[in-house]
């Protein structure tokens, strides 16, 4: 970790330097003009990894130029739709039938996804209720022909088991066979 003294940053610049959603963290660390001594803290980002996680893969896809936004990065809405698909896979298996997405409880874009990245979606069930299933989805991008792996998105979604008429239904007991 290197410490250097430098000219004060604006509040927005210090937030970018820290790569954090917490807008007060830079003030608490004295990294913006809101506080006095300026110390720049440099650490390796926790989002950069060397390998993909060792857990079940829900979905893997390569975004194309048609999926990009005006900045040349992959459109956030495209990533959200892929996360919803990936999260639905363990939910459908657990519900043993039809489901519907009822909530996106949290969604954090940690890093941009680039055209040509190999994007992997890992989905695990977090909670099971009477009719609902909450799923955590982690998204990783393999960049530079797989030499760099970056955690790009994290999300938590809730699905509800539904009948053919679209009405909520109770989840079957784990291991029970159901015809819906």
């Amino acid at each position: 970790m290197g410490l250097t003294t430098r000219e004060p940053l604006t509040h927005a610049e210090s937030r970018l330097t820290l790569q954090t959603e917490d807008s007060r963290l830079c003030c608490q660390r004295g990294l913006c003009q809101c506080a006095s001594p300026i110390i720049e803290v440099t650490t390796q980002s926790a989002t950069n990894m060397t390998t993909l996680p060792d857990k079940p893969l829900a979905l893997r896809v390569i975004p194309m130029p048609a999926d990009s936004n005006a900045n040349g990065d992959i459109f956030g809405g495209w990533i959200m739709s892929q996360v919803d698909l990936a999260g639905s896979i363990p939910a459908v298996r657990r519900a043993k039938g039809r489901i519907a997405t009822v909530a996106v409880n949290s969604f954090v874009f940690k890093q941009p996804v680039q055209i040509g990245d190999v994007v992997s979606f890992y989905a695990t069930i977090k909670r099971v209720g009477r009719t609902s299933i909450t799923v955590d989805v982690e998204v990783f991008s393999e960049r530079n022909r797989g030499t760099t792996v970056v955690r790009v998105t994290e999300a938590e979604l809730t699905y509800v088991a539904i009948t053919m008429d679209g009405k909520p239904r109770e989840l079957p007991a784990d291991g029970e066979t159901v015809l819906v």
Side-chain angles (χ1 to χ4, degrees), residues 64-166:
M64 303 304 284
D67 305 316
S68 66
N69 62 22
N71 297 323
D73 298 320
I74 299 305
F75 180 57
W78 181 88
I79 296 167
M80 292 181 86
S81 69
Q82 302 302 311
V83 165
D84 191 22
L85 290 170
S88 72
I89 293 170
V92 163
R93 289 178 177 156
R94 175 60 185 85
K96 296 185 177 38
R98 229 175 138 198
I99 59 160
T101 308
V102 293
V104 176
N105 306 325
S106 68
F107 209 103
V108 179
F109 294 101
K110 295 184 158 293
Q111 299 234 354
V113 174
Q114 300 168 355
I115 296 169
D117 283 359
V118 177
V119 186
S120 301
F121 299 78
Y122 297 86
T124 53
I125 294 176
K126 183 176 182 179
R127 276 187 306 277
V128 176
R130 190 177 63 81
T131 63
S132 66
I133 302 164
T134 302
V135 178
D136 278 333
V137 181
E138 293 178 285
V139 185
F140 296 86
S141 280
E142 292 176 76
R143 297 198 169 133
N144 307 318
R145 300 183 188 245
T147 60
T148 305
V149 176
V150 180
R151 182 187 314 246
V152 293
T153 304
E154 294 174 353
E156 181 186 275
L157 298 92
T158 301
Y159 302 88
V160 67
I162 57 174
T163 64
M164 291 306 282
D165 298 331

Side-chain angles (χ1 to χ4, degrees), residues 30-46:
L31 294 175
C32 68
Q33 292 179 13
C34 307
S36 38
I38 306 305
I39 299 173
E40 186 176 291
V41 180
T42 55
T43 61
Q44 184 171 355
S45 173

